[in-house]
Amino acid sequence: MSGLNKFRIVLAGIAGAAVVSAWAGVGAAYFLDAPRSVFVIGVIVAALATEAAFWLILFLLGWSAVANRHWLVRLFSGARKTGEGERMEPRA
C-alpha cells in the first residue's frame, strides 16, 4: 500500500472518529440534562462535522465516486441491478 493510500485511510478514519465523537457528545448532553444552549451548540457542531466528513471522504474518493454513485449504493445496500431477475408477464 502506498503512502498516499495510507494517508487517505488515516484521514478518513480521523474524520469518522470526529463525527462519532461529536454525536456521542450530543447524546451525552441529552442524557445528562445539559442546558438547552449546550445541547443546541452540540447538535450544530455535530451536523457540521458530519457535513465536513462527507465532503472530505467524497474528495478522497475522487470524481469516480460521484460518477459511480449508483454502483456504490448497490454495493453498500446489497440491492440487485435494475431488471436483474425480473420478468414482465405478457398481458392477456
Side-chain angles (χ1 to χ4, degrees), residues 16-62:
V19 169
V20 169
S21 298
W23 285 109
V26 169
Y30 179 77
F31 287 114
L32 295 175
D33 291 330
R36 183 180 297 258
S37 60
V38 172
F39 178 72
V40 170
I41 290 171
V43 168
I44 291 170
V45 168
L48 291 174
T50 303
E51 185 74 17
F54 172 78
W55 286 107
L56 175 69
I57 291 172
L58 183 67
F59 175 75
L60 291 175
L61 289 174

Side-chain angles (χ1 to χ4, degrees), residues 74 80-84 86:
R74 281 195 309 269
R80 297 184 306 186
K81 291 182 182 178
T82 304
E84 184 178 298
E86 298 175 4

Side-chain angles (χ1 to χ4, degrees), residues 12 54 57-58 61 64-66 68-81:
F54 172 78
I57 291 172
L58 183 67
L61 289 174
S64 62
V66 177
N68 297 324
R69 65 187 177 276
H70 300 291
W71 177 80
L72 286 171
V73 168
R74 281 195 309 269
L75 176 72
F76 291 119
S77 68
R80 297 184 306 186
K81 291 182 182 178

